[in-house]
């Protein structure tokens, strides 16, 4: 068994591609907050391609802001920042390569000054983020900045008093302030999170955060800093012990934190950068003037389908994505959702055949090699449902289009929150708003449809009579017949 580090690259199985560039010559150009599995299968992989093409000044310094990020610090530190990315195609073809683009990792709880030094360094031209949908503190239904995480709240109180930042928004804001005060060109803030208009959301969050600290700074950021939108796509489950064992067994490689993902990858990026950018377009990134058609396609077809399959699948006793997507009943339901409800809300997408895109999604979902779990896709559903599914519902209500499948998903979500599958086994929702959601669902006993009055998720949607009537009927069917029988009745029409 070969331990992964710089000194052992020449000893690895020839089936594992390794960096051919001189990593000692690579300098930092990007600081990234949120070095999880998705970042390492996506942005870091694209940057690895850049470095292989000779762009030696765009290495990544990762930043962990949470106490739990110490594990990533230790894993990457022991491996000189290296890790293995293993991708599997729907036909089973496997490729493995060692990614070398992360040249530094800063653990912010122990070294806030080091993070700020990296942010003020003129060599840092892009600060990228994968801090999850809820990390920005923007409420979908209202657009208001209402952060809930303790680190952001602590920064809003502590930074005016001179405390060091602890949150991603705090570091980004202070870093921009130091760039302004030094008369330097500001870095670009590049969100890589799965959010419609992620650049707009990042901009709104940073501006609102800065306005509470220093209104003049907020004005400078608004006029001087770019926040490009992007659409990101690659199904990447969390690393497990089974993942590590697979890399060990197949490649004889001891990697503390490998990444396993599907082979498909896409990044559509708005070409709007404050301080320059690398040649992303030469390594497979689509640089465009308007990301919106692509991101709406992905969010409403892929991400909303994750929600559509997961709640109904879990209620029926399923565990894995491929398990439900190889089930003809679920496959027909998902394709019906895409065709009848999601696609009517989409404008034409340049260069994309939506029939083929939908078919490709079903092939990707059905890949057993990924072993993506339904539960992974619905953590913090109160953040995901408003971003992925409710925009479809709103648009279909506006135009008089079909909503039956989307409403069934909302009803299944409410049943899932109650914590009991159709066979009586326990379900275990994970959501930062879980107590409030449970209270909202409990109200259904006395006032059917009242779950839709939970404003942080639904805004004013609950007032729509058509939606409310359909929701009450769907909940009633699920309670009486269960998920499979309800789906069978719907799909057979």
């Amino acid at each position: 068994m070969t331990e992964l580090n710089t000194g052992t690259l020449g000893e690895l199985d020839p089936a594992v591609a390794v960096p051919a560039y001189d990593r000692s010559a690579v300098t930092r150009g990007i600081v990234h907050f949120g070095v999880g599995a998705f970042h390492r299968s996506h942005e870091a992989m694209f940057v690895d391609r850049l470095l292989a093409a000779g762009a030696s000044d765009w290495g990544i310094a990762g930043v962990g802001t949470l106490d739990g990020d110490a594990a990533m610090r230790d894993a990457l530190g022991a491996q000189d920042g290296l890790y293995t990315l293993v991708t599997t195609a729907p036909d089973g073809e496997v490729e493995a390569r060692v990614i070398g683009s992360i040249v530094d990792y800063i653990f912010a709880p122990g070294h806030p000054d080091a993070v700020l030094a990296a942010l003020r360094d003129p060599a840092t031209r892009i600060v990228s983020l994968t801090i999850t949908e809820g990390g920005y503190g923007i409420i979908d239904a209202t657009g208001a900045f209402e952060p809930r995480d303790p680190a952001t709240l602590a920064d809003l109180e502590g930074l005016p008093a001179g405390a060091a930042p602890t949150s991603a928004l705090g570091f980004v804001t202070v870093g921009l302030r130091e760039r302004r005060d030094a008369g330097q060109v500001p870095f670009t803030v590049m969100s890589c999170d799965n959010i419609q208009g992620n650049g707009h959301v990042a901009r709104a969050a940073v501006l609102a955060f800065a306005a509470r600290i220093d209104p003049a700074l907020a004005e400078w950021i608004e006029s001087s800093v770019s926040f490009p939108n992007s659409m990101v796509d690659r199904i990447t489950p969390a690393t497990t012990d089974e993942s590590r064992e697979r890399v060990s067994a197949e490649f004889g490689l001891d990697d503390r934190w490998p990444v396993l993902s599907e082979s498909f990858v896409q990044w559509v990026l708005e070409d709007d950068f404050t301080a320059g950018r690398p040649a992303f377009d030469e390594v497979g990134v689509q640089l465009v003037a308007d990301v919106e058609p692509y991101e709406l396609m992905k969010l409403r077809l892929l991400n909303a389908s994750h929600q559509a399959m997961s709640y109904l699948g879990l209620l029926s006793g399923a565990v894995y994505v491929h398990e439900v997507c190889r089930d003809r009943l679920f496959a027909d339901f998902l394709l019906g959702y895409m065709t009848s409800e999601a696609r009517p809300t989409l404008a034409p997408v340049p260069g994309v055949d939506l029939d083929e895109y939908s078919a490709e999604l079903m092939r990707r979902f059905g890949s057993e090699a990924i072993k993506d779990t339904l539960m992974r896709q619905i953590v913090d559903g109160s953040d995901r449902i408003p971003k992925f599914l409710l925009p479809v519902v709103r648009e279909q209500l506006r135009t008089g289009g079909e909503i039956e499948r989307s409403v069934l998903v909302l009803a299944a979500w409410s049943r899932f929150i109650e914590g009991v599958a159709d066979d009586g086994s326990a379900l275990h929702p994970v959501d930062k708003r879980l107590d409030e959601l449970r209270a909202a669902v409990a109200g259904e006993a006395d006032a059917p449809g009242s779950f839709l009055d939970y404003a942080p998720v639904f805004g004013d949607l609950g007032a729509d009579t058509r939606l409310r009537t359909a929701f009450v009927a769907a909940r009633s069917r699920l309670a009486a017949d269960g998920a499979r029988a309800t789906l069978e009745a719907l799909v057979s029409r």
Side-chain angles (χ1 to χ4, degrees):
M1 192 67 58
T2 305
E3 292 187 3
L4 179 60
N5 57 58
T6 301
T8 62
L9 288 178
E11 304 171 17
L12 301 188
D13 185 326
V16 181
V18 300
Y21 51 89
D22 180 4
R23 291 185 75 233
S24 67
V26 175
T27 57
R28 180 187 62 241
I30 300 171
V31 170
H32 181 80
F33 287 84
V35 182
F38 180 75
H39 167 70
R40 294 189 297 139
S41 78
H42 196 268
E43 181 188 351
M45 181 277 299
F46 279 109
V47 174
D48 185 72
R49 289 181 181 177
L50 285 168
L51 299 178
S56 61
D57 58 342
W58 287 103
I60 299 171
V63 176
T65 62
L66 305 175
D67 290 340
D69 291 329
M72 184 64 73
R73 172 201 63 193
D74 295 343
L76 290 178
Q79 298 178 175
D80 302 320
L82 300 169
Y83 62 92
T84 316
L85 172 62
V86 179
T87 63
T88 305
D91 64 5
E93 182 181 0
V94 175
E95 293 186 1
R97 71 176 300 107
V98 173
I99 303 297
S101 54
I102 299 178
V103 297
D104 191 15
Y105 187 90
I106 308 171
F107 183 57
H111 303 281
D113 290 344
V115 179
L116 291 175
L119 295 176
R120 77 170 68 97
D121 184 350
T124 298
R125 286 151 286 167
I126 295 174
V127 172
S128 54
L129 307 167
T130 47
I131 56 176
T132 77
E133 296 92 339
Y136 296 89
I138 300 294
I139 303 300
D140 294 277
T142 64
F145 179 61
E146 298 180 12
R148 290 175 171 236
D149 66 287
T152 300
L153 295 174
D155 280 352
L156 286 169
E157 183 170 342
L159 288 178
T166 60
S167 69
L169 293 181
F171 277 112
V172 168
T173 302
V174 173
L176 286 170
R177 182 178 67 190
E178 295 194 0
R179 297 281 279 248
R180 179 201 63 177
D181 293 348
Q184 298 173 350
V185 175
F187 47 73
T188 294
V189 179
M190 183 176 73
S191 172
C192 297
D193 276 298
N194 246 337
I195 308 171
Q196 181 178 341
N198 55 11
H200 298 320
V201 171
R203 184 175 187 271
V206 172
L207 288 177
F209 186 101
R212 297 193 189 181
I213 304 301
D214 179 354
L217 174 62
E219 293 177 4
W220 178 81
I221 293 172
E222 185 171 19
S223 63
S224 304
V225 180
S226 291
F227 294 83
N229 291 297
S230 68
M231 184 271 265
V232 297
D233 190 3
R234 176 168 253 182
I235 297 172
T236 309
T239 300
T240 63
D241 287 340
E242 183 180 357
S243 308
R244 296 178 179 90
E245 291 167 5
R246 176 183 168 187
V247 171
S248 175
E250 292 187 19
F251 304 107
L253 185 55
D254 183 5
D255 187 335
R256 299 186 181 204
W257 214 316
V259 181
L260 276 60
S261 78
E262 65 172 339
S263 58
F264 180 91
V265 64
Q266 188 175 24
W267 191 5
V268 183
L269 180 60
E270 183 181 7
D271 198 358
D272 179 22
F273 290 81
T274 309
R277 61 160 175 81
F280 280 133
D281 51 321
E282 296 181 7
V283 294
V285 181
Q286 295 171 258
L287 289 166
V288 300
D290 183 10
V291 173
E292 185 175 41
Y294 299 91
E295 67 182 0
L296 291 181
M297 172 188 73
K298 192 254 181 171
L299 295 173
R300 297 183 184 183
L301 293 176
L302 185 151
N303 294 111
S305 291
H306 281 167
Q307 306 304 295
M309 72 176 75
S310 294
Y311 297 111
L312 290 160
L314 288 162
L315 287 175
S316 69
V319 175
Y320 293 103
V321 171
H322 70 267
E323 182 181 356
V324 294
C325 291
R326 292 183 175 187
D327 183 322
R328 178 46 55 189
L329 176 63
F330 280 89
D332 287 348
F333 172 75
L334 288 173
L335 283 170
Y337 159 76
M338 293 182 198
T339 302
S340 301
E341 300 186 21
R343 283 171 52 176
T345 73
L346 301 176
V349 184
V352 177
D353 180 322
L354 290 178
D355 285 332
E356 174 55 32
Y357 183 81
S358 299
E360 175 68 16
L361 285 181
M362 295 307 298
R363 288 192 291 271
R364 294 167 62 192
F365 293 156
S367 175
E368 184 175 359
I370 302 301
K371 289 193 174 179
D372 201 7
T373 64
L374 298 171
M375 278 297 301
R376 183 191 75 86
Q377 299 182 147
I378 55 173
V379 170
D380 289 331
S382 63
D383 284 331
R384 300 185 185 210
I385 289 282
K387 293 176 175 66
F388 305 151
L389 188 66
L390 293 188
V392 172
V393 175
R394 285 184 181 277
E395 182 61 14
Q396 290 291 84
L397 287 172
R398 187 186 69 80
T399 62
E402 293 185 29
I403 60 170
E404 193 170 17
R405 291 167 177 80
S406 296
V407 171
L408 181 57
V409 177
L410 296 178
W413 180 37
S414 72
R415 295 277 298 167
F416 172 76
I417 290 167
E418 292 174 327
V420 182
D422 291 341
D423 65 0
S425 60
L427 297 170
H428 303 283
V430 177
D431 197 298
K432 61 173 65 71
R433 296 186 175 99
L434 187 57
D435 290 342
E436 295 175 10
L437 291 168
R438 282 176 169 160
V441 171
E444 289 287 323
D446 297 322
S450 62
F451 179 63
L452 300 178
D453 295 329
Y454 183 59
V457 169
F458 296 103
D460 61 357
L461 266 179
D464 188 282
T465 302
R466 182 185 171 203
L467 173 63
R468 205 174 187 96
T469 300
F471 175 81
V472 171
R475 260 188 65 88
S476 177
R477 287 195 300 271
L478 285 171
D481 303 330
R484 285 199 69 89
T486 302
L487 282 175
E488 287 169 354
L490 175 58
V491 168
S492 64
R493 291 176 193 169

